[in-house]
Amino acid sequence: MPMPATCKMNMLFNWQIENTCVVFRWWHISGPFSMFLSCVAIFLIAAGYEWIRAYSSLIESRWKEAELLLQRNRIDEEEDDGLEGQQQQQQRTLVHAYEQHARLSRKRELIRSSIYAFLVATSFWLMLVFMTYNGYLMIATVLGAGFGHFIFGNGRLSGDKSIQCH
């Protein structure tokens, strides 16, 4: 009767291919082909992490641009209005702007926080992959992150990050 495959956990750097598990018991590498597929998957996850970072940065810059445009429009409206009824118009505009800003701010914060939480979770997961100490998986993580930063960064991403676990 054949023995069931087991996961071997190494605490030293290794190039082991068979009986390696990637974070979960069900992600079991049993040979060269499954190691290759696992490396491709990890490469894509690391590159995807960088894509989401770049997308988050793009959203932030667009929101800042929109805020600046709103401020300019308010200033232009104030300059265009005559002195008559200016205070009344200004009060209505301020109340409307505050209501809009509060609604958008909550939505933006929810989006920003969701993206951040996803990035933290992915980053910690990639750290756990790295902590298998398997050379192939480590290389796939590093190459995927570098590739993603190169392709998706487009000057929007700096080399430093607030949370960098991989």
Side-chain angles (χ1 to χ4, degrees):
M1 184 163 145
M3 285 188 59
T6 60
C7 297
K8 291 184 182 174
M9 194 62 194
N10 290 307
M11 295 306 291
L12 299 171
F13 183 80
N14 68 84
W15 294 98
Q16 179 178 324
I17 291 177
E18 292 182 11
N19 292 326
T20 299
C21 288
V22 181
V23 182
F24 305 105
R25 187 177 304 266
W26 56 262
W27 192 341
H28 184 215
I29 298 171
S30 58
F33 185 69
S34 59
M35 175 60 84
F36 173 75
L37 292 178
S38 294
C39 286
V40 169
I42 291 166
F43 177 92
L44 293 173
I45 291 168
Y49 172 87
E50 295 298 324
W51 176 79
I52 293 170
R53 270 188 66 222
Y55 182 71
S56 175
S57 178
L58 177 67
I59 288 174
E60 288 286 330
S61 66
R62 286 186 180 168
W63 285 344
K64 286 178 185 175
E65 288 175 16
E67 283 292 321
L68 289 174
L69 284 174
L70 283 174
Q71 288 174 356
R72 284 186 196 145
N73 286 342
R74 283 187 211 128
I75 291 170
D76 290 346
E77 285 176 8
E78 288 174 8
E79 290 173 355
D80 290 344
D81 287 345
L83 293 175
E84 299 173 21
Q86 185 177 2
Q87 287 180 340
Q88 200 174 33
Q89 177 66 23
Q90 202 171 28
Q91 284 178 340
R92 272 189 265 135
T93 303
L94 285 174
V95 168
H96 179 70
Y98 176 75
E99 290 171 350
Q100 286 290 95
H101 181 71
R103 194 175 327 125
L104 284 175
S105 293
R106 277 179 260 157
K107 184 178 178 182
R108 286 179 182 173
E109 280 306 313
L110 179 64
I111 292 169
R112 183 183 292 134
S113 297
S114 298
I115 291 171
Y116 180 77
F118 183 78
L119 286 172
V120 168
T122 305
S123 183
F124 281 129
W125 186 85
L126 286 169
M127 177 194 62
L128 291 174
V129 169
F130 212 85
M131 288 178 63
T132 62
Y133 299 108
N134 185 289
Y136 299 112
L137 301 178
M138 293 167 90
I139 289 170
T141 304
V142 170
L143 290 179
F147 176 80
H149 192 274
F150 179 76
I151 296 297
F152 304 120
N154 295 328
R156 287 189 296 261
L157 297 175
S158 64
D160 62 329
K161 298 190 288 187
S162 60
I163 292 211
Q164 185 170 349
C165 294
H166 71 280

